[in-house]
Structure formats: C-alpha cells, structure tokens
Amino acid sequence: GVEGLSVGAGYSKRNYNYSGGGASTREDGTAYATYAYGPVTIGYQVGAQGDSGAGTQAYKNTYMGISYAISDDLSVAYNNTVSRKTAGAHSFNTVEQEWDNISLAYSMGGMTIGLSDSDCSNCSYTSGQSQDETVLNLTIAF
C-alpha cells in the first residue's frame, strides 16, 4: 500500500473457571496505525478490555505518540495515553486517567541509556490525583 504506513489489529478472549464455582470471560481488542517518514514516526492506537462475571470492569484506552531519530544513536519521543474505566457494562466513568511521557534514548554498541519523564493526571481514575516520575535506565546486551 503506502510506504511508511503500518496498520494492525488484535483480539483475544479468555475464559476463566474459578474453584468457588464462578466463571468469567475477559476480552481484549486493539487497532493501531503508524506512519514513518524519514526520521519521524507518528502513531495512534485504540484499545478496549472488558470482563464479565463477578467484578465486571472495562477499560477504553487511546495512545498517541511521535518520535524523532536525531541520529542513528539518539532519539526523542513524546507519548500520550488516555484511559477510561467503567463502573459496569457500557457506563464509562467520566474521570479520564491521562499519562504524558517524554523520553530520550542514546545507543552505543550494545548499550542504551534512557531517560523518561512521565506525568499522570487523575491517576487511579481519581479526580485530582497526580503522579510524576522520572526514570533513568541502562540496558546492556551481551
């Protein structure tokens, strides 16, 4: 089709039988599209997960991101995730949990150094609750 465009979808269904006699089904579905042009890649994904049985819950998530390869060894990316949780079948909570993340990665041979800063608003689907985190990691391949 279109050079640089990638699309995909996935679906899974799992059935659980609990020793106490309860049964539950979990279904997950997702669809995505990414487009790469030169050093820039953008992407969008939507997904949903739902349970049936005792403790029914469902989640609807959207993911958006953009990355830029500054060089063969250095890249920067921004990602946004928005998630809604249901209180029951088809009644999505009005509080959206949202994550914003910016990251920087430098690779040298089999080593990668990454720095990531994330900010969450309405964390745990609780209005006004926030969380910020910064992660520095080192990955070495042998």
Side-chain angles (χ1 to χ4, degrees), residues 38-116:
V40 177
T41 301
I42 59 172
Y44 180 81
Q45 180 176 353
V46 63
Q49 178 224 320
D51 295 328
S52 66
T56 299
Q57 298 184 69
Y59 300 89
K60 181 181 179 187
N61 305 310
T62 57
Y63 312 89
M64 293 179 284
I66 184 167
S67 66
Y68 177 69
I70 298 167
S71 69
D72 287 344
D73 301 324
L74 183 63
S75 64
V76 63
Y78 169 78
N79 293 288
N80 174 269
T81 302
V82 176
S83 180
R84 297 187 99 179
K85 179 181 176 181
T86 66
H90 307 295
S91 61
F92 281 94
N93 187 338
T94 57
V95 177
E96 291 182 340
Q97 175 177 271
E98 183 172 4
W99 282 92
D100 288 305
N101 172 275
I102 189 161
S103 59
L104 183 69
Y106 178 73
S107 297
M108 181 173 38
M111 179 183 75
T112 301
I113 300 171
L115 179 63
S116 175

